[in-house]
Amino acid sequence: QVQLVESGGGLVQAGGSLRLSCAASGRTFSSYAMGWFRQAPGKEREFVAAITWNGVITYCADSVKGRFTISRDNARNTVYLQMNRLKPEDTAVYSCAAKSFLGWSEMLLRAAREYDYWGQGTQVTVSS
């Protein structure tokens, strides 16, 4: 069982930055691939970024590539999402997710249905 708690969301002006954190419970964090997803009002949940268990490989959605960076610190059981040059269309609830997986597969890690555990989410609002 893994519990995930996100933090770092808030209100920011367009062009600003935020760093989201996702703290995980449990002693097996390093065996989980981690992902960030977001859901805006009236829209489906969409993939944002993912990182393999060892942090070596990352994947990002085209809409955030070059602006968002995912990273992890296995010693702290935490995954991060650094978000720069934020746009109003980035406004959404951001959730982290964990998948027990020691491989790498972009197709697999982009799919929300593949993840085993989810956090409650944190609101990010970008004003224009």
Side-chain angles (χ1 to χ4, degrees):
Q1 187 79 9
V2 175
Q3 292 185 323
L4 304 173
V5 179
E6 302 94 339
S7 61
L11 174 65
V12 64
Q13 287 189 330
S17 298
L18 283 174
R19 187 175 82 154
L20 305 183
S21 299
C22 172
S25 65
R27 293 175 290 179
T28 59
F29 177 73
S30 61
S31 66
Y32 285 82
M34 300 296 295
W36 284 98
F37 291 80
R38 67 186 182 185
Q39 188 166 19
K43 294 187 177 181
E44 293 187 355
R45 182 166 53 192
E46 66 171 346
F47 168 78
V48 177
I51 189 166
T52 53
W53 65 276
N54 56 2
V56 171
I57 300 173
T58 63
Y59 307 106
C60 277
D62 288 344
S63 59
V64 306
K65 199 165 290 184
R67 299 188 299 122
F68 291 12
T69 303
I70 187 171
S71 62
R72 67 188 296 161
D73 184 341
N74 285 350
R76 297 179 182 270
N77 281 14
T78 303
V79 63
Y80 305 97
L81 185 68
Q82 177 67 44
M83 305 186 296
N84 298 328
R85 303 201 313 273
L86 282 159
K87 304 175 181 180
E89 51 263 44
D90 294 320
T91 295
V93 174
Y94 284 71
S95 299
C96 66
K99 175 175 176 57
S100 181
F101 181 58
L102 293 176
W104 59 93
S105 166
E106 182 170 5
M107 183 174 67
L108 189 148
L109 293 181
R110 281 177 173 266
R113 67 182 180 277
E114 293 290 340
Y115 287 80
D116 305 306
Y117 303 101
W118 290 83
Q120 292 296 313
T122 185
Q123 176 70 46
V124 172
T125 303
V126 184
S127 64
S128 56

